[in-house]
Amino acid sequence: AAAAPESGGVRCDVGAAVVTPAVGALTEFDLIAHTPPPFWPDRAWQQAEWALQLGGCYVASAAALRRVIATGAPLRIAAPLLGAGAAGAPVGAAARAAAAAVPLALSAAAQLVPVSASAGASVPPAARASAAATICFVLQDQGACEAMQEAITEQRRQHSTAWQHIHVHVHVHNTPVVGGGCDCCA
């Protein structure tokens, strides 16, 4: 895997993630998971592998956040559309890969809950898997929002059981969610 540029003394390979405190323009969040996405492939036959690698970025980010948070509380995650910027992927392909990765990322993160702070015992796997989670995709423009919403709708249609405890918001950065209800990035 190709290495990402070094930032603040931390270096990540594609698909790995590190968590840092939020700084600068991102102080509306408590923590930031950094993960370098793979670059969009030159050849069509490499796109399936690219989608798997990009999905791995979401899984690694959710797992890294869960390790830092280390409680059984449901995760609330704000995420960009990885891969669709400097990594060169078409917005639709990045949205489909992200939507496919959401249940896996949240499920993987739930499996990392070490100990219930109140009970002092391990959280049962069934409780971890059924915990509600919220992910908010904070995107650059309305076109990206529409592509993401379409991808999520398709994933929910195809895999309704995996999505039953997942709440998703999609909106343009610094724009309120239509109908309200998004406190992830307020």
Side-chain angles (χ1 to χ4, degrees), residues 9-113:
V10 177
R11 189 176 184 99
C12 274
D13 287 337
V14 169
V18 296
V19 175
T20 65
V23 296
L26 299 173
T27 56
E28 66 210 66
F29 305 106
D30 296 322
L31 300 168
I32 305 293
H34 305 269
T35 181
F39 283 91
W40 180 249
D42 292 335
R43 294 174 178 83
W45 59 269
Q46 296 171 319
Q47 292 173 8
E49 177 63 26
W50 170 87
L52 289 173
Q53 288 178 342
L54 188 64
C57 292
Y58 287 102
V59 171
S61 294
L65 286 165
R66 176 54 77 200
R67 281 191 294 274
V68 171
I69 296 168
T71 70
L75 280 179
R76 291 183 349 189
I77 300 171
L81 187 54
L82 297 173
V91 169
R96 286 187 298 278
V102 166
L104 181 60
L106 296 175
S107 175
Q111 299 306 314
L112 294 171
V113 176

